[in-house]
Amino acid sequence: MRFSDSVPLFLGWADNYYRKPTGKETREATNLLHATRPLLSVLASREIDAVTASDVEAVRQFMIDSDLARNTINARMGRVRRFIRWAISNKHAKPESILIWESIAPLKYGRSPARETRPVTSADVGAFNATLPYLPDMVRSMVMLQLATGMRSGELCSIRWDLIDRRDDVWIYIPAEHKTEHHGHDRNIAILPPAQELLGEPDKVGYVYVHGRGGIYTPDSYRRVITRAIEKADCAYWTPHQLRHSAITDWATKGGVEVARLLAGHASTRMTSRYIDITADRVIWAARQVATG
């Protein structure tokens, strides 16, 4: 079968398959749409079984020429391979068709013409503190809670009182929806007593953070408020997602990677390790632990 015939069928399947248990769409169907566009641009009229190594390289080169970052290209090529496997399982291609796609190694750091992106690191402490006075009171509490708990912006914006278990000294927030729920993973966010004060009055109902217009922030609107405050503070730029990196790095330093994994809600320490900054300060801390151990 030709790519132009098989890809639309795959995308239709993905739109139905990649959904949360509630039926809500996830981002993966959109990610697959973006990944297969270069495939159609280069190989639309070709038979899936007739692809050569040069064709695979041409698809990847199309992504490079589109100024995509190396990590993005590798991720999209991985999704293209997922499409090929789907095509094979649906008899749109022969089983050996996947071999040519798997024979092309991912682009290596510093060894490809694709541009590199700067790794996401923890938020700069000085810039964070400089921004706080320029934030609305509610958003100031939100960023401080995010730093204390490491929760994602979507989890923070949608936090509700009925989703917080307050029976123990450590409160547990169980989001109604979270990033990995479609994998069957639970998400339990610990809120320690000092951070509990950032939530406001515990006798309230509904959403914890409701802005003056009667609604709640979305991750995008929350980020925009922070960006405006950073501009007023005239300090280094930081993002809400960096606060999660800050929290996870702090947890790993104080309690180890497994502690950080549990608090971050990751399924593996491999994912947690991606969030931990290997800074000079942390190396010095580790060296002192060894010296005093």
Side-chain angles (χ1 to χ4, degrees):
M1 183 177 287
R2 294 181 301 181
F3 285 99
S4 58
D5 296 323
S6 185
V7 168
L9 296 175
F10 169 69
L11 294 177
W13 167 84
D15 185 59
N16 289 320
Y17 182 79
Y18 290 103
R19 292 178 178 269
K20 295 179 180 292
T22 59
K24 183 178 179 180
E25 296 178 354
T26 68
R27 294 183 180 179
E28 189 57 23
T30 300
N31 291 337
L32 290 166
L33 172 64
H34 292 316
T36 52
R37 278 176 176 168
L39 190 63
L40 291 177
S41 295
V42 178
L43 302 175
S45 62
R46 295 287 299 279
E47 294 287 332
I48 300 175
D49 290 334
V51 168
T52 65
S54 295
D55 294 326
V56 177
E57 293 281 7
V59 171
R60 188 164 67 180
Q61 188 60 48
F62 184 93
M63 297 183 189
I64 294 173
D65 294 341
S66 299
D67 197 35
L68 296 178
R70 179 183 60 86
N71 287 341
T72 300
I73 293 171
N74 285 341
R76 290 190 178 182
M77 290 297 290
R79 290 186 170 95
V80 169
R81 289 192 291 274
R82 196 188 310 169
F83 155 69
I84 299 298
R85 295 188 188 97
W86 177 90
I88 291 170
S89 67
N90 284 273
K91 296 181 171 52
H92 296 181
K94 297 177 181 177
E96 55 268 27
S97 297
I98 190 63
L99 299 178
I100 197 66
W101 293 92
E102 292 182 338
S103 68
I104 306 299
L107 297 174
K108 304 297 183 183
Y109 177 81
R111 296 186 179 183
S112 80
R115 66 178 176 88
E116 296 289 345
T117 56
R118 296 184 63 180
V120 178
T121 59
S122 298
D124 181 88
V125 176
F128 175 80
N129 289 331
T131 305
L132 292 179
Y134 296 93
L135 290 170
D137 291 344
M138 179 181 295
V139 178
R140 186 184 306 120
S141 294
M142 291 174 72
V143 298
M144 293 175 68
L145 181 64
Q146 190 169 21
L147 180 61
T149 62
M151 68 176 76
R152 301 177 179 93
S153 293
E155 297 165 339
L156 174 67
C157 293
S158 60
I159 186 171
R160 300 198 316 260
W161 285 106
D162 62 304
L163 300 176
I164 304 173
D165 184 342
R166 292 174 280 167
R167 291 175 294 181
D168 207 338
D169 59 323
V170 177
W171 294 356
I172 297 295
Y173 164 39
I174 306 172
E177 295 181 351
H178 60 86
K179 186 176 180 180
T180 59
E181 65 178 302
H182 57 286
H183 293 302
H185 299 159
D186 293 329
R187 179 76 169 114
N188 296 282
I189 300 172
I191 306 177
L192 291 166
Q196 293 167 10
E197 298 178 4
L198 299 169
L199 295 169
E201 298 296 329
D203 58 349
K204 290 170 57 180
V205 296
Y207 288 103
V208 172
Y209 297 116
V210 179
H211 56 59
R213 297 183 301 280
I216 63 172
Y217 288 102
T218 65
D220 285 340
S221 62
Y222 169 61
R223 176 181 49 78
R224 286 195 296 270
V225 172
I226 293 171
T227 299
R228 288 195 293 270
I230 291 171
E231 292 171 350
K232 292 178 181 177
D234 193 23
C235 62
Y237 182 74
W238 56 272
T239 68
H241 187 56
Q242 287 181 278
L243 299 180
R244 180 164 166 80
H245 281 254
S246 297
I248 293 173
T249 295
D250 184 56
W251 296 332
T253 299
K254 293 177 179 177
V257 177
E258 178 60 17
V259 167
R261 182 192 72 80
L262 290 170
L263 292 174
H266 289 151
S268 69
T269 54
R270 179 180 179 183
M271 175 59 73
T272 306
S273 297
R274 298 179 184 177
Y275 283 77
I276 300 172
D277 294 339
I278 308 300
T279 62
D281 288 343
R282 191 160 190 270
V283 170
I284 291 171
W285 172 87
R288 287 173 176 164
Q289 300 308 303
V290 173
T292 58

